[in-house]
Amino acid sequence: MVRIKLLILVVLCVITCTVTATELVVSVDGKPIKIIFITPKVIRVIKYQDTIKPDKEELVMIKTPEKVPVKKTERKDYIQFQSPELKVSIHKKSGVLSFFDGTTLLLRERKEDIVLKEGVKQGFLLSNDEAIYGLGQHQDGKMNQRGQHLYLKQRNTEIAIPFFQSTAGYGVYWNNYSATTFSDNEDGTFFSSEKGSNIDYVFIKGAEADDIIASFRALTGTAAMFPKWAFGYWQSKERYKSQFELLDVVKQYRKLKVPLDGIIQDWQYWGVDKKMWNGVTFNNPLFPAPDKMIDSIHQLNAKLMISVWPSFGSKTQIYKELESKNKLYDFLTYPPDPEIKVYDAFSKDARDVYWKHMNKNLFAKGVDGWWLDATEPVMKQRNVSDGIVHHENEVSDMLHNPKNQQTALGDFEIYANAYPLQSVAGIYEGQRNANKNKRVFIMTRSAFAGQQRYASMLWSGDIRASWQVLKNQIAGGVNLSMTGIPYWNTDIGGFFITPNYPKGVTDTAYQKLYVRWLQFAAFTPMFRSHGTQTPREIYQFGEKGYWAYDAIEKFINLRYQLLPYIYSNAWEVTAAASTMMRGLAMDFKQDKKTWDINDQYLFGKSLLVAPIVDSLSNTRQIYLPKGTTWTDFWTGEQHQGGNTVVKKAPTDIIPLYVKAGSIIPFAQKQQYVGEKADETLELRIYTGADGEFSLYEDEGDNYNYEKGISSLIAFSWNDKNKSLTISKTKGEFPGMLKKRRFHIVLVNQSKGTGAQMSASFKAVEYSGKQQQIRF
């Protein structure tokens, strides 16, 4: 017997009617299925075991369901509900749900015949002719996630996000925070979670990848805008052992005139006593005057990011305060010591205590950004044969049974994967309350769905230095980006260099790997050098004139010249739910050859990046997606899409191709963000198609942009008429340039190529009014 109940309903339905409903409940064999139309193309499905009651606190989804007009139709075998965008049908006997776009089947549930003793499982039937992406960050180098068997549990180098999107035009978010297994095989596609009594998932219809991500971000939160200086170059290592060493690095970069925007202080600035672990204060005698140190960094026009962990030693003030509130967990963390405990990030009180100490001891002294390390805090470290260090959550490593470990919300195992979301939220909200005028910038090792709303920059964890690991970063970063979290980076050169490169930076083989890694990193959202066992500063690679030094300097400079393009793309991420690091299938889904390319991607929608990931060759094959013309960034040579080209790339070149119709602003070289106003920009136009680009600018480091205090200049290229239209400036902000000059270059094999400014251009004086330039 099937029973139907429509909530928020003011009319009775007989067979077919149109209603305005938020929630619909269908009972199959006495078990209720709730269908919530959150928007016309986003549906949440909850299958209850008996009565309608939640099995967890909602942490991820923040959007209030809209009042969606829904048409109900009942037939012999099924009931269907249809919004203006999406139709869902429920088979009366089996309870199986199917999702349609008009008459086109997008996805159907698999009738599950496996009963779990504990936890929940749901299967789906995907067609053979679709690729899927997402599921977080994984280190296997696989782009298309079909055929995968993945254990989704937060670990060092592994980021668990139970969301995937399909080339068939939909996405699925599995709304469960416990450890989950994802499996795709000949029997179906499954999510199976260790904890939970209710099956809970969200189906999203989207014609393109950007549409799916936009709906998922609308559901889970808009990506925050980082300060502009976050997109410059960052130097780090494990670790700077004194404030004098730290300051000297910044001074060396300024002396060498190599651009630098940030320096990072890793652990033990609090001292070496484990009982003082992560005291969230400068307690190390080698940092005797942190206030003056930070002031000096700022006077050198650089920013400081600092490492903070979620665990604390027993002698620290923060430990004592959290202990008094019973807000510490009783399980082993890293470093494994019974005197070091993790705080309960699911407690608002505990998050407030955490931020209070960070604010008083670090933020008030001028710290600019946060490196929240080990945000998957239950860890055991072990080395494995794939060259990656994993930290796994294992029951045997607990001091107490994890089944008895309670959080402020309930059983830790029910909520474990959402730990980084909650921990990062406390810092984001704390800083925003403490200072309305300084943007939050957080780098963290782990994430869960929705974390983009808390100014999170992810990194790929403690990876080892090898060419295969370098290659695997590409698919890992792209798949993470396709879960809706747009900001990601990696330790340039790999965190650990042994056993492959025991001589470190003096080894020419390592230098080659490092340079290739840095070239790749220049085209990721954050550009950051970090690692242990060998230093990474540019001057460690020799002097100017040495190939490694020159290549590093070249790409740091190129990064700064591309900052107008990068920052404008960052605005698109916030304002239009765009994605900066893009799998080829996001923009070229119709070209099936792009579906499983794991060593190329788009940086923004214009630049195709094909890193060198092979130690044996400076030449590689590159597939250029069909449907457009591509221009070699370095030579200006044009190629038709749908073809594979062979590119020679000496050690100071990374293969880059620009899509026809692209307009890329190219800035002058500078030593740090804001050193020079962009009074003169080179506009490179890549002909062969019409194109548009909007140059976004604002004050760079406050939240006035949320009030619309910013500016946009739109550029439109008409390829047939060979004309460029520059729009009237929209918006304004304090300090905005009133007049500027654009050097406009139509790129060909003789000009507008490579990292140098073109000597041949058409100069245009611009004062904010619309104008058209013909060629």
Side-chain angles (χ1 to χ4, degrees), residues 533-571:
Q533 300 169 334
T534 195
R536 316 290 173 100
E537 296 82 17
I538 186 173
Y539 45 84
Q540 307 289 352
F541 291 84
E543 299 178 346
K544 197 172 183 66
Y546 182 64
W547 68 269
Y549 181 103
D550 290 351
I552 293 168
E553 182 183 36
K554 175 180 179 176
F555 279 89
I556 294 176
N557 277 318
L558 179 56
R559 173 77 174 200
Y560 279 78
Q561 290 176 286
L562 287 171
L563 278 176
Y565 173 79
I566 294 169
Y567 197 59
S568 296
N569 271 278
W571 170 245

Side-chain angles (χ1 to χ4, degrees), residues 20 56 86 119 284 293 340 364 404 416 452 468 538 577 612 687 708:
T20 299
K56 61 185 179 303
L86 183 60
N284 188 324
M293 176 190 75
I340 297 172
N404 298 324
Q452 71 280 349
Q468 186 61 51
I538 186 173
I612 298 294
T687 59

Side-chain angles (χ1 to χ4, degrees), residues 591-630:
D591 184 351
K592 292 185 180 180
K593 289 184 178 179
T594 68
W595 285 11
D596 203 19
I597 294 176
N598 66 349
D599 57 0
Q600 300 175 204
Y601 63 99
L602 291 170
F603 187 55
K605 295 182 180 180
S606 294
L607 290 171
L608 187 151
V609 186
I612 298 294
V613 291
D614 183 352
S615 65
L616 301 177
S617 176
N618 287 334
T619 301
R620 66 159 293 178
Q621 292 186 334
I622 298 150
Y623 179 72
L624 301 175
K626 65 182 178 182
T628 188
T629 301
W630 297 91

Side-chain angles (χ1 to χ4, degrees), residues 4-14 16-21 70 72:
I4 307 168
K5 181 180 180 183
L6 304 182
L7 305 181
I8 317 178
L9 179 61
V10 294
V11 296
L12 295 176
C13 296
V14 184
T16 303
C17 64
T18 300
V19 300
T20 299
V70 177
K72 174 205 163 213

Side-chain angles (χ1 to χ4, degrees), residues 56-60 152-155 158-162 173 176-179 277-278 308-312 318 322 327-334 340-355 358 372-379 393 398 405-429 442 444-451 453-454 456 458 485:
K56 61 185 179 303
E57 294 287 332
E58 182 54 57
L59 302 177
V60 172
L152 303 181
K153 194 171 188 179
Q154 308 294 13
R155 291 167 286 173
E158 298 283 313
I159 297 174
I161 301 178
Y173 164 58
N176 188 293
Y177 315 146
S178 72
W277 171 264
N278 190 38
V308 185
W309 292 56
S311 53
F312 312 97
I318 188 170
L322 288 165
K327 300 300 182 184
L328 293 170
Y329 296 147
D330 285 327
F331 54 64
L332 281 177
T333 185
Y334 182 82
I340 297 172
K341 293 185 178 181
V342 174
Y343 87 111
D344 182 5
F346 298 100
S347 162
K348 176 66 163 58
D349 286 347
R351 294 195 300 269
D352 288 346
V353 170
Y354 193 11
W355 170 252
M358 289 174 64
L372 302 185
D373 207 340
T375 43
E376 64 298 287
V378 188
M379 300 178 291
N393 300 4
M398 300 282 188
Q405 182 65 67
Q406 294 296 301
T407 76
L409 302 182
D411 184 346
F412 179 84
E413 288 189 309
I414 291 174
Y415 292 95
N417 274 347
Y419 188 94
L421 175 72
Q422 293 297 96
S423 188
V424 170
I427 309 308
Y428 176 82
E429 292 167 351
I442 296 171
T444 182
R445 196 169 71 185
S446 196
F448 199 65
Q451 201 162 308
R453 67 182 184 251
Y454 297 131
S456 288
L458 280 296
I485 298 180

Side-chain angles (χ1 to χ4, degrees), residues 47 111 158-159 188 303 328 343 400-401 576 606 732 737:
K47 298 182 179 181
K111 176 59 178 174
E158 298 283 313
I159 297 174
K303 308 295 182 183
L328 293 170
Y343 87 111
H400 299 280
N401 190 329
S606 294
E732 61 181 343
L737 290 171

Side-chain angles (χ1 to χ4, degrees), residues 93-363:
K93 184 177 181 180
S94 67
V96 164
L97 275 67
S98 301
F99 302 88
F100 296 85
D101 178 8
T103 60
T104 303
L105 175 65
L106 297 175
L107 182 67
R108 176 171 287 145
E109 291 183 345
R110 181 186 185 278
K111 176 59 178 174
E112 190 52 68
D113 54 7
I114 299 173
V115 178
L116 302 179
K117 291 183 179 180
E118 187 176 16
V120 289
K121 182 175 184 178
Q122 177 66 60
F124 302 93
L125 297 174
L126 277 62
S127 73
N128 292 328
D129 192 29
E130 61 182 296
I132 62 173
Y133 308 96
L135 299 172
Q137 171 203 275
H138 306 286
Q139 296 287 341
D140 54 14
K142 189 167 175 56
M143 187 68 74
N144 178 6
Q145 299 296 301
R146 296 304 301 270
Q148 286 280 65
H149 184 86
L150 295 169
Y151 187 49
L152 303 181
K153 194 171 188 179
Q154 308 294 13
R155 291 167 286 173
N156 186 359
T157 76
E158 298 283 313
I159 297 174
I161 301 178
F163 170 87
F164 70 81
Q165 59 168 285
S166 169
T167 54
Y170 67 87
V172 175
Y173 164 58
W174 178 251
N175 190 33
N176 188 293
Y177 315 146
S178 72
T180 295
T181 298
F182 170 85
S183 181
D184 179 73
N185 54 47
E186 62 275 7
D187 295 325
T189 303
F190 302 90
F191 284 108
S192 177
S193 293
E194 295 177 3
K195 293 288 183 177
S197 55
N198 303 329
I199 291 170
D200 186 351
Y201 70 89
V202 176
F203 179 89
I204 300 171
K205 173 197 164 188
E208 305 295 339
D210 283 327
D211 300 328
I212 297 166
I213 290 173
S215 288
F216 195 42
R217 294 230 195 109
L219 183 67
T220 63
T222 299
M225 189 84 177
F226 287 131
K228 192 172 184 179
W229 44 260
F231 298 101
Y233 176 69
W234 289 79
Q235 186 61 60
S236 179
K237 75 172 184 179
E238 190 281 305
R239 59 186 166 90
Y240 295 116
K241 295 182 179 180
S242 72
Q243 70 180 58
F244 309 103
E245 182 185 8
L246 183 79
L247 267 174
D248 186 63
V249 172
V250 182
K251 291 175 181 177
Q252 288 287 345
Y253 273 85
R254 292 291 178 253
K255 181 180 178 181
L256 293 168
K257 299 191 181 301
V258 174
L260 177 76
D261 259 279
I263 189 80
I264 302 176
Q265 177 58 47
D266 204 341
W267 61 355
Q268 293 192 13
Y269 60 89
W270 54 73
V272 297
D273 182 351
K274 282 191 176 180
K275 292 182 179 181
M276 291 300 295
W277 171 264
N278 190 38
V280 197
T281 186
F282 287 95
N283 202 43
N284 188 324
L286 296 177
F287 292 83
D291 307 67
K292 291 182 179 179
M293 176 190 75
I294 297 171
D295 286 345
S296 296
I297 291 170
H298 291 162
Q299 288 167 14
L300 290 165
N301 298 296
K303 308 295 182 183
L304 175 67
M305 176 181 282
I306 201 162
S307 171
V308 185
W309 292 56
S311 53
F312 312 97
S314 61
K315 285 187 177 180
T316 64
Q317 290 301 311
I318 188 170
Y319 179 105
K320 294 173 182 178
E321 185 169 354
L322 288 165
E323 184 180 44
S324 72
K325 296 176 180 289
N326 196 28
K327 300 300 182 184
L328 293 170
Y329 296 147
D330 285 327
F331 54 64
L332 281 177
T333 185
Y334 182 82
D337 190 305
E339 297 290 329
I340 297 172
K341 293 185 178 181
V342 174
Y343 87 111
D344 182 5
F346 298 100
S347 162
K348 176 66 163 58
D349 286 347
R351 294 195 300 269
D352 288 346
V353 170
Y354 193 11
W355 170 252
K356 180 181 75 173
H357 286 263
M358 289 174 64
N359 186 24
K360 177 183 177 182
N361 299 325
L362 300 176
F363 189 58

